[in-house]
PDB file of all heavy atoms in Angstrom:
ATOM      1  N   ASP A   3     174.615 144.746  28.701  1.00  0.00           N
ATOM      2  CA  ASP A   3     173.689 145.863  28.544  1.00  0.00           C
ATOM      3  C   ASP A   3     173.893 146.521  27.171  1.00  0.00           C
ATOM      4  O   ASP A   3     175.011 146.908  26.815  1.00  0.00           O
ATOM      5  CB  ASP A   3     173.925 146.891  29.661  1.00  0.00           C
ATOM      6  CG  ASP A   3     172.904 148.004  29.629  1.00  0.00           C
ATOM      7  OD1 ASP A   3     173.138 148.994  28.898  1.00  0.00           O
ATOM      8  OD2 ASP A   3     171.891 147.895  30.322  1.00  0.00           O
ATOM      9  N   VAL A   4     172.796 146.650  26.412  1.00  0.00           N
ATOM     10  CA  VAL A   4     172.888 147.177  25.055  1.00  0.00           C
ATOM     11  C   VAL A   4     173.381 148.616  25.043  1.00  0.00           C
ATOM     12  O   VAL A   4     174.174 149.014  24.181  1.00  0.00           O
ATOM     13  CB  VAL A   4     171.524 147.063  24.343  1.00  0.00           C
ATOM     14  CG1 VAL A   4     171.568 147.777  22.990  1.00  0.00           C
ATOM     15  CG2 VAL A   4     171.152 145.606  24.139  1.00  0.00           C
ATOM     16  N   ARG A   5     172.931 149.421  25.996  1.00  0.00           N
ATOM     17  CA  ARG A   5     173.359 150.816  26.020  1.00  0.00           C
ATOM     18  C   ARG A   5     174.866 150.927  26.260  1.00  0.00           C
ATOM     19  O   ARG A   5     175.533 151.777  25.666  1.00  0.00           O
ATOM     20  CB  ARG A   5     172.590 151.577  27.097  1.00  0.00           C
ATOM     21  CG  ARG A   5     171.107 151.781  26.771  1.00  0.00           C
ATOM     22  CD  ARG A   5     170.351 152.307  27.941  1.00  0.00           C
ATOM     23  NE  ARG A   5     170.359 151.352  29.059  1.00  0.00           N
ATOM     24  CZ  ARG A   5     169.771 151.574  30.230  1.00  0.00           C
ATOM     25  NH1 ARG A   5     169.137 152.713  30.449  1.00  0.00           N
ATOM     26  NH2 ARG A   5     169.809 150.658  31.171  1.00  0.00           N
ATOM     27  N   ARG A   6     175.401 150.057  27.084  1.00  0.00           N
ATOM     28  CA  ARG A   6     176.848 150.074  27.318  1.00  0.00           C
ATOM     29  C   ARG A   6     177.600 149.530  26.112  1.00  0.00           C
ATOM     30  O   ARG A   6     178.693 149.996  25.791  1.00  0.00           O
ATOM     31  CB  ARG A   6     177.175 149.275  28.576  1.00  0.00           C
ATOM     32  CG  ARG A   6     176.553 149.867  29.837  1.00  0.00           C
ATOM     33  CD  ARG A   6     177.038 149.165  31.098  1.00  0.00           C
ATOM     34  NE  ARG A   6     176.346 149.698  32.259  1.00  0.00           N
ATOM     35  CZ  ARG A   6     175.457 149.054  33.001  1.00  0.00           C
ATOM     36  NH1 ARG A   6     175.148 147.798  32.700  1.00  0.00           N
ATOM     37  NH2 ARG A   6     174.870 149.622  34.031  1.00  0.00           N
ATOM     38  N   LEU A   7     177.012 148.543  25.444  1.00  0.00           N
ATOM     39  CA  LEU A   7     177.634 148.049  24.219  1.00  0.00           C
ATOM     40  C   LEU A   7     177.725 149.158  23.174  1.00  0.00           C
ATOM     41  O   LEU A   7     178.724 149.262  22.448  1.00  0.00           O
ATOM     42  CB  LEU A   7     176.830 146.875  23.660  1.00  0.00           C
ATOM     43  CG  LEU A   7     176.947 145.548  24.404  1.00  0.00           C
ATOM     44  CD1 LEU A   7     175.944 144.542  23.846  1.00  0.00           C
ATOM     45  CD2 LEU A   7     178.362 144.994  24.319  1.00  0.00           C
ATOM     46  N   ARG A   8     176.707 149.995  23.121  1.00  0.00           N
ATOM     47  CA  ARG A   8     176.754 151.095  22.158  1.00  0.00           C
ATOM     48  C   ARG A   8     177.906 152.050  22.494  1.00  0.00           C
ATOM     49  O   ARG A   8     178.572 152.557  21.592  1.00  0.00           O
ATOM     50  CB  ARG A   8     175.441 151.869  22.138  1.00  0.00           C
ATOM     51  CG  ARG A   8     175.464 152.928  21.049  1.00  0.00           C
ATOM     52  CD  ARG A   8     174.317 153.889  21.053  1.00  0.00           C
ATOM     53  NE  ARG A   8     174.549 154.923  20.051  1.00  0.00           N
ATOM     54  CZ  ARG A   8     173.797 156.004  19.907  1.00  0.00           C
ATOM     55  NH1 ARG A   8     172.742 156.186  20.683  1.00  0.00           N
ATOM     56  NH2 ARG A   8     174.083 156.908  18.988  1.00  0.00           N
ATOM     57  N   LEU A   9     178.143 152.288  23.771  1.00  0.00           N
ATOM     58  CA  LEU A   9     179.259 153.148  24.152  1.00  0.00           C
ATOM     59  C   LEU A   9     180.586 152.566  23.666  1.00  0.00           C
ATOM     60  O   LEU A   9     181.478 153.296  23.223  1.00  0.00           O
ATOM     61  CB  LEU A   9     179.297 153.331  25.675  1.00  0.00           C
ATOM     62  CG  LEU A   9     178.172 154.159  26.293  1.00  0.00           C
ATOM     63  CD1 LEU A   9     178.322 154.186  27.814  1.00  0.00           C
ATOM     64  CD2 LEU A   9     178.185 155.576  25.744  1.00  0.00           C
ATOM     65  N   LEU A  10     180.714 151.245  23.737  1.00  0.00           N
ATOM     66  CA  LEU A  10     181.943 150.607  23.264  1.00  0.00           C
ATOM     67  C   LEU A  10     182.086 150.778  21.745  1.00  0.00           C
ATOM     68  O   LEU A  10     183.185 151.049  21.245  1.00  0.00           O
ATOM     69  CB  LEU A  10     181.939 149.121  23.633  1.00  0.00           C
ATOM     70  CG  LEU A  10     183.261 148.369  23.429  1.00  0.00           C
ATOM     71  CD1 LEU A  10     184.335 148.910  24.361  1.00  0.00           C
ATOM     72  CD2 LEU A  10     183.064 146.870  23.665  1.00  0.00           C
ATOM     73  N   VAL A  11     180.977 150.639  21.019  1.00  0.00           N
ATOM     74  CA  VAL A  11     181.007 150.860  19.578  1.00  0.00           C
ATOM     75  C   VAL A  11     181.375 152.315  19.274  1.00  0.00           C
ATOM     76  O   VAL A  11     182.181 152.598  18.375  1.00  0.00           O
ATOM     77  CB  VAL A  11     179.638 150.508  18.953  1.00  0.00           C
ATOM     78  CG1 VAL A  11     179.589 150.938  17.491  1.00  0.00           C
ATOM     79  CG2 VAL A  11     179.374 149.013  19.064  1.00  0.00           C
ATOM     80  N   GLU A  12     180.797 153.236  20.030  1.00  0.00           N
ATOM     81  CA  GLU A  12     181.104 154.653  19.831  1.00  0.00           C
ATOM     82  C   GLU A  12     182.582 154.929  20.071  1.00  0.00           C
ATOM     83  O   GLU A  12     183.213 155.686  19.325  1.00  0.00           O
ATOM     84  CB  GLU A  12     180.250 155.517  20.773  1.00  0.00           C
ATOM     85  CG  GLU A  12     178.768 155.512  20.472  1.00  0.00           C
ATOM     86  CD  GLU A  12     178.411 156.407  19.298  1.00  0.00           C
ATOM     87  OE1 GLU A  12     179.261 157.202  18.875  1.00  0.00           O
ATOM     88  OE2 GLU A  12     177.274 156.310  18.800  1.00  0.00           O
ATOM     89  N   LEU A  13     183.144 154.305  21.080  1.00  0.00           N
ATOM     90  CA  LEU A  13     184.561 154.501  21.371  1.00  0.00           C
ATOM     91  C   LEU A  13     185.419 153.942  20.236  1.00  0.00           C
ATOM     92  O   LEU A  13     186.420 154.550  19.852  1.00  0.00           O
ATOM     93  CB  LEU A  13     184.927 153.842  22.696  1.00  0.00           C
ATOM     94  CG  LEU A  13     186.381 154.000  23.156  1.00  0.00           C
ATOM     95  CD1 LEU A  13     186.755 155.467  23.299  1.00  0.00           C
ATOM     96  CD2 LEU A  13     186.605 153.263  24.474  1.00  0.00           C
ATOM     97  N   SER A  14     185.012 152.822  19.680  1.00  0.00           N
ATOM     98  CA  SER A  14     185.732 152.253  18.546  1.00  0.00           C
ATOM     99  C   SER A  14     185.697 153.196  17.350  1.00  0.00           C
ATOM    100  O   SER A  14     186.693 153.350  16.634  1.00  0.00           O
ATOM    101  CB  SER A  14     185.126 150.895  18.167  1.00  0.00           C
ATOM    102  OG  SER A  14     185.733 150.367  17.018  1.00  0.00           O
ATOM    103  N   ASP A  15     184.561 153.854  17.133  1.00  0.00           N
ATOM    104  CA  ASP A  15     184.403 154.750  15.988  1.00  0.00           C
ATOM    105  C   ASP A  15     185.092 156.095  16.198  1.00  0.00           C
ATOM    106  O   ASP A  15     185.724 156.631  15.283  1.00  0.00           O
ATOM    107  CB  ASP A  15     182.919 154.999  15.713  1.00  0.00           C
ATOM    108  CG  ASP A  15     182.226 153.782  15.126  1.00  0.00           C
ATOM    109  OD1 ASP A  15     182.928 152.914  14.575  1.00  0.00           O
ATOM    110  OD2 ASP A  15     180.989 153.703  15.226  1.00  0.00           O
ATOM    111  N   ARG A  16     184.956 156.655  17.404  1.00  0.00           N
ATOM    112  CA  ARG A  16     185.366 158.044  17.629  1.00  0.00           C
ATOM    113  C   ARG A  16     186.752 158.180  18.248  1.00  0.00           C
ATOM    114  O   ARG A  16     187.358 159.247  18.170  1.00  0.00           O
ATOM    115  CB  ARG A  16     184.325 158.762  18.499  1.00  0.00           C
ATOM    116  CG  ARG A  16     182.935 158.772  17.871  1.00  0.00           C
ATOM    117  CD  ARG A  16     181.926 159.490  18.732  1.00  0.00           C
ATOM    118  NE  ARG A  16     180.566 159.277  18.262  1.00  0.00           N
ATOM    119  CZ  ARG A  16     179.976 159.998  17.299  1.00  0.00           C
ATOM    120  NH1 ARG A  16     180.629 160.977  16.722  1.00  0.00           N
ATOM    121  NH2 ARG A  16     178.730 159.734  16.936  1.00  0.00           N
ATOM    122  N   GLY A  17     187.247 157.141  18.884  1.00  0.00           N
ATOM    123  CA  GLY A  17     188.642 157.128  19.310  1.00  0.00           C
ATOM    124  C   GLY A  17     188.949 157.598  20.710  1.00  0.00           C
ATOM    125  O   GLY A  17     189.937 157.156  21.299  1.00  0.00           O
ATOM    126  N   THR A  18     188.138 158.481  21.279  1.00  0.00           N
ATOM    127  CA  THR A  18     188.427 158.993  22.634  1.00  0.00           C
ATOM    128  C   THR A  18     187.148 159.024  23.463  1.00  0.00           C
ATOM    129  O   THR A  18     186.035 159.159  22.934  1.00  0.00           O
ATOM    130  CB  THR A  18     189.020 160.412  22.589  1.00  0.00           C
ATOM    131  OG1 THR A  18     188.032 161.336  22.086  1.00  0.00           O
ATOM    132  CG2 THR A  18     190.266 160.464  21.714  1.00  0.00           C
ATOM    133  N   LEU A  19     187.333 158.946  24.774  1.00  0.00           N
ATOM    134  CA  LEU A  19     186.192 159.024  25.684  1.00  0.00           C
ATOM    135  C   LEU A  19     185.521 160.392  25.604  1.00  0.00           C
ATOM    136  O   LEU A  19     184.292 160.499  25.673  1.00  0.00           O
ATOM    137  CB  LEU A  19     186.660 158.755  27.123  1.00  0.00           C
ATOM    138  CG  LEU A  19     187.148 157.337  27.417  1.00  0.00           C
ATOM    139  CD1 LEU A  19     187.759 157.267  28.824  1.00  0.00           C
ATOM    140  CD2 LEU A  19     186.013 156.327  27.293  1.00  0.00           C
ATOM    141  N   SER A  20     186.317 161.446  25.432  1.00  0.00           N
ATOM    142  CA  SER A  20     185.740 162.798  25.361  1.00  0.00           C
ATOM    143  C   SER A  20     184.894 162.957  24.101  1.00  0.00           C
ATOM    144  O   SER A  20     183.841 163.613  24.141  1.00  0.00           O
ATOM    145  CB  SER A  20     186.845 163.853  25.408  1.00  0.00           C
ATOM    146  OG  SER A  20     187.744 163.692  24.322  1.00  0.00           O
ATOM    147  N   ALA A  21     185.325 162.360  22.983  1.00  0.00           N
ATOM    148  CA  ALA A  21     184.537 162.440  21.749  1.00  0.00           C
ATOM    149  C   ALA A  21     183.223 161.686  21.896  1.00  0.00           C
ATOM    150  O   ALA A  21     182.176 162.146  21.418  1.00  0.00           O
ATOM    151  CB  ALA A  21     185.343 161.888  20.581  1.00  0.00           C
ATOM    152  N   VAL A  22     183.249 160.544  22.551  1.00  0.00           N
ATOM    153  CA  VAL A  22     182.020 159.790  22.809  1.00  0.00           C
ATOM    154  C   VAL A  22     181.084 160.596  23.695  1.00  0.00           C
ATOM    155  O   VAL A  22     179.882 160.699  23.433  1.00  0.00           O
ATOM    156  CB  VAL A  22     182.339 158.429  23.462  1.00  0.00           C
ATOM    157  CG1 VAL A  22     181.051 157.720  23.867  1.00  0.00           C
ATOM    158  CG2 VAL A  22     183.154 157.554  22.517  1.00  0.00           C
ATOM    159  N   ALA A  23     181.639 161.188  24.735  1.00  0.00           N
ATOM    160  CA  ALA A  23     180.832 161.977  25.665  1.00  0.00           C
ATOM    161  C   ALA A  23     180.177 163.151  24.960  1.00  0.00           C
ATOM    162  O   ALA A  23     178.984 163.443  25.161  1.00  0.00           O
ATOM    163  CB  ALA A  23     181.710 162.460  26.817  1.00  0.00           C
TER     164      ALA A  23
END
Side-chain angles (χ1 to χ4, degrees):
D3 186 273
V4 173
R5 290 170 297 179
R6 297 187 184 111
L7 286 172
R8 185 189 174 188
L9 291 177
L10 190 65
V11 171
E12 292 282 347
L13 182 59
S14 176
D15 288 339
R16 301 180 191 275
T18 66
L19 293 172
S20 60
V22 174

